[in-house]
Amino acid sequence: MAAGDLKKAVPLLTEAMSVDHAAMPARVLLAECFERGGQHGTAVELLTPMAEHLKDCGLCVESLQT
């Protein structure tokens, strides 16, 4: 992703999410890939579960601020 190759980054990040569905760094990076690719709705869907836990999850707050 850092190199700008979203086509390679998306499958790798998706695999990371399949291993650990709650993996917040992978979730945020995957949402960023979709956002950069113009798939705004998908990006929002990925971040919504984190937004629902802002009151009880400091890592969710920190990740969304990223």
Side-chain angles (χ1 to χ4, degrees):
M1 186 177 140
D5 194 345
L6 301 180
K7 288 182 181 180
K8 286 185 181 177
V10 168
L12 294 172
L13 291 167
T14 302
E15 183 178 347
M17 291 281 303
S18 71
V19 172
D20 180 3
H21 187 69
M24 284 186 242
R27 181 178 291 275
V28 170
L29 290 173
L30 187 57
E32 187 177 340
C33 284
F34 283 116
E35 179 67 26
R36 286 184 184 182
Q39 296 180 11
H40 310 293
T42 303
V44 170
E45 285 179 33
L46 284 165
L47 298 176
T48 298
M50 292 169 43
E52 293 171 352
H53 294 283
L54 292 178
K55 291 182 180 178
D56 60 350
C57 178
L59 188 54
C60 293
V61 173
E62 183 180 326
S63 296
L64 288 172
Q65 288 175 337
T66 302

